[in-house]
């Protein structure tokens, strides 16, 4: 019983297995690179669409659904992020008229939207990414 209590008192990053920790580190580096590249460009390509999709991602993250087993999902945020990544045409414009958005900008907009949507959950004392799988 004492070993279980000591395990439960560990910080969350120490309780993770090495594969999950490596994945989180890789994702963190990708987000930092995306934000740095977008900031270094000095402007956001097609900023109105980026704001619209970032807002939809934030709202979707705010309205997470509780699933059996204590898990959570954000289907609206997922759909908005996927739609922004696959955006080719808006309205009646041909695909050639819609400016291409860099992949790192998609990552940056998605990360900022998810962070903004998770802030109210963190402020309320709930975990940002839902319940841990263990």
């Amino acid at each position: 019983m004492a070993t279980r209590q000591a395990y439960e008192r560990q910080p969350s990053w120490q309780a993770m297995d090495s594969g999950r920790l490596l994945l989180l580190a890789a994702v963190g580096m990708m987000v930092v690179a995306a934000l740095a590249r977008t900031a270094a460009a000095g402007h956001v390509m097609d900023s109105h669409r980026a704001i619209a999709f970032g807002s939809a991602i934030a709202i979707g993250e705010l309205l997470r659904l509780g699933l059996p087993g204590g898990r959570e999902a954000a289907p609206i945020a997922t759909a908005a992020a996927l739609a922004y990544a696959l955006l080719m045409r808006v309205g009646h414009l041909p695909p050639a008229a819609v400016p291409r958005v860099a992949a790192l900008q998609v990552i940056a907009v998605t990360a900022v939207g998810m962070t903004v949507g998770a802030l109210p959950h963190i402020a309320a004392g709930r975990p940002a990414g839902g319940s841990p799988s263990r």
Side-chain angles (χ1 to χ4, degrees), residues 37-101:
R37 174 67 178 109
T38 304
H43 68 283
V44 176
M45 286 282 293
D46 208 7
S47 61
H48 296 307
R49 290 189 189 108
I51 291 170
F53 279 101
S55 300
I57 292 167
I59 291 169
E61 185 65 28
L62 182 64
L63 302 174
R64 283 190 244 159
L65 299 175
L67 298 174
R71 299 174 297 140
E72 292 184 353
I76 297 171
T78 304
L82 184 62
Y84 186 53
L86 300 176
L87 181 67
M88 294 186 350
R89 164 186 312 223
V90 176
H92 299 291
L93 294 174
V98 177
R100 296 269 181 193
V101 176

Side-chain angles (χ1 to χ4, degrees), residues 22-40 103-116:
L22 182 64
L23 179 66
L24 285 175
V27 168
M29 286 190 299
M30 178 67 78
V31 168
V32 168
L35 291 172
R37 174 67 178 109
T38 304
L104 288 176
Q105 181 178 323
V106 172
I107 294 169
V109 168
T110 302
V112 169
M114 289 179 67
T115 302
V116 168

Side-chain angles (χ1 to χ4, degrees), residues 4 7-8 10 12-21 69-71 130-134:
R4 182 174 175 96
Y7 177 75
E8 290 174 357
Q10 290 179 341
S12 62
W13 66 271
Q14 287 181 345
M16 283 190 230
D17 61 347
S18 60
R20 182 178 284 185
L21 196 58
R71 299 174 297 140
S131 300
S133 60
R134 291 189 198 206

